[in-house]
């Protein structure tokens, strides 16, 4: 091998490492913004979800504004199977989806065809010592745990195994 061949191999390996890190490396989660007793995040829908990884607090009502900037059939719905939520998204418009992340963990959401995916990471509302944080205590004293601010009804309401109705 001459020096030119070695240089080509090194550049090729370097590009392979960079591409692998870009596609498979760790992704930074976008944290929802706290607005009083409500969390809010905007997700742009255009060939995918951006951000596609959203970090929220457990027990605090969540409002996700889906800003759909396309008209393709695939992204015309968003489905949160773990929260029994299935909502239609209007083309070139914004649709608000509200839910209560009542348990910790990672929960997927996807388009109606299950081709475009995102993840919702729900973190505990405790302060690290087993006691609820001030935000969680304030939310526990609220008269209702249901998020407010919209008259929009879900297209489909399903009952999870525990019998509660979510939408």
């Amino acid at each position: 091998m001459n020096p030119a061949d070695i240089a080509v191999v090194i550049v090729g390996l370097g590009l392979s490492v960079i591409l692998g890190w870009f596609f498979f490396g760790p992704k930074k989660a976008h944290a929802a913004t706290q607005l009083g007793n409500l969390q809010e995040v905007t997700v742009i829908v255009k060939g995918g979800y951006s951000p596609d990884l959203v970090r929220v607090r457990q027990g605090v009502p969540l409002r996700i504004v889906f800003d759909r900037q396309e008209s393709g059939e695939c992204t015309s719905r968003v489905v949160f199977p773990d929260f029994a939520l299935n909502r239609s998204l209007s083309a070139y418009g914004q649709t608000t989806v509200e839910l209560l992340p009542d348990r910790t963990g990672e929960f997927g959401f996807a388009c109606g065809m299950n081709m475009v995916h995102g993840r919702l990471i729900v973190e505990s509302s405790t302060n690290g010592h087993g006691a609820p944080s001030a935000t969680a205590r304030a939310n526990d004293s609220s008269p209702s745990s249901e998020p407010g601010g919209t008259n929009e009804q879900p297209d489909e309401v399903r009952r999870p195994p525990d019998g509660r109705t979510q939408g």
Side-chain angles (χ1 to χ4, degrees):
M1 284 179 103
N2 64 33
D5 293 337
I6 293 172
V8 168
V9 169
I10 290 173
V11 169
L13 287 174
L15 288 174
S16 296
V17 167
I18 291 171
L19 285 173
W21 177 80
F22 178 78
F23 286 107
F24 303 110
K27 295 185 180 186
K28 185 177 178 188
H30 180 82
T33 304
Q34 186 82 29
L35 303 169
N37 287 335
L38 180 74
Q39 303 175 87
E40 184 172 283
V41 65
T42 298
V43 175
I44 296 173
V45 182
K46 188 172 185 179
Y49 297 119
S50 181
D52 63 351
L53 187 58
V54 178
R55 187 177 308 278
V56 300
R57 304 299 289 170
Q58 175 189 13
V60 180
L62 172 63
R63 177 183 298 150
I64 305 174
V65 178
F66 285 94
D67 184 1
R68 187 165 173 237
Q69 300 178 357
E70 61 188 5
S71 63
E73 183 62 30
C74 182
T75 59
S76 66
R77 300 197 73 76
V78 65
V79 180
F80 288 81
D82 296 305
F83 294 95
L85 192 134
N86 184 342
R87 182 67 55 87
S88 176
L89 303 178
S90 59
Y92 301 102
Q94 294 186 346
T95 303
T96 300
V97 173
E98 294 184 346
L99 58 94
L100 181 65
D102 56 356
R103 57 200 180 276
T104 60
E106 286 193 28
F107 305 98
F109 60 95
C111 68
M113 295 180 180
N114 202 27
M115 295 173 66
V116 177
H117 298 95
R119 285 186 301 164
L120 185 66
I121 299 174
V122 181
E123 297 178 330
S124 174
S125 293
T126 61
N127 60 13
H129 303 289
S133 67
T135 303
R137 285 192 306 269
N139 288 331
D140 288 344
S141 65
S142 65
S144 169
S145 63
E146 292 298 316
T150 181
N151 292 327
E152 192 171 296
Q153 295 296 316
D155 294 317
E156 182 177 321
V157 176
R158 289 181 260 150
R159 292 187 189 276
D162 63 1
R164 293 179 295 134
T165 301
Q166 291 184 343

